[in-house]
Amino acid sequence: MPLTIPLNEKQVDLLRHLYRQTGPVLCDNLDGRVVRALRSRGLVQQKGDWLSLTDAGKAEFEKLRRRRVASPHAEVASPRHARAEAIIRAVEALELALPRDAELKVGDMLAYADDVVEGLRGFARQLARAS
């Protein structure tokens, strides 16, 4: 039975980013270590300077996303960590509901939904680290 090493946070972030895109992404600003790790697992393919998800990559991300949203009773170390986990689950549920390239009104400003979701995800991670 093969040992499956779980994807780390940066690998999941890149899968999420590629999943939300409508086409391939330029590799210039991507972390090469993360790209190589995902490519070695067959989750992404690189053609020239462009990176895109494989069918296996899409399936893996959808599996991770469903598992994360459906598992609200994860063990938590502290109330702050529990709050961070709740925010992450809510953000992932929101991400499922938002169409690609959507814009949201935040206060009086329009913002891309991806940027709002990423900001909320970053806040939750910062909250979890502070605990």
Side-chain angles (χ1 to χ4, degrees):
M1 181 173 164
L3 175 65
T4 303
I5 299 171
L7 297 173
N8 67 34
E9 188 176 289
K10 289 182 181 185
Q11 292 167 344
V12 173
D13 285 347
L14 182 55
L15 282 181
R16 179 181 299 107
H17 176 67
L18 293 171
Y19 184 83
R20 298 283 298 170
Q21 301 305 309
T22 56
V25 173
L26 193 59
C27 292
D28 288 351
N29 297 322
L30 301 177
D31 186 338
R33 296 169 296 180
V34 175
V35 171
R36 282 189 298 278
L38 293 175
R39 196 174 47 217
S40 72
R41 293 177 183 222
L43 302 177
V44 297
Q45 64 182 359
Q46 188 171 354
K47 292 183 180 175
D49 290 336
W50 297 93
L51 189 70
S52 60
L53 280 180
T54 62
D55 290 339
K58 288 177 188 173
E60 180 68 19
F61 179 71
E62 288 170 354
K63 182 175 73 174
L64 288 169
R65 183 172 67 173
R66 280 191 304 271
R67 184 181 316 137
R68 182 86 176 152
V69 172
S71 141
H73 302 294
E75 292 184 28
V76 290
S78 71
R80 286 181 74 92
H81 191 72
R83 192 173 301 121
E85 284 294 317
I87 291 169
I88 289 170
R89 283 192 310 277
V91 166
E92 289 175 349
L94 176 64
E95 189 175 40
L96 287 172
L98 292 171
R100 290 182 181 169
D101 301 328
E103 288 187 347
L104 302 173
K105 193 157 189 175
V106 179
D108 293 334
M109 299 174 55
L110 282 177
Y112 288 112
D114 289 344
D115 294 338
V116 173
V117 167
E118 191 56 39
L120 289 169
R121 188 175 285 113
F123 171 70
R125 287 180 182 152
Q126 182 179 19
L127 189 63
R129 280 192 297 269
S131 58

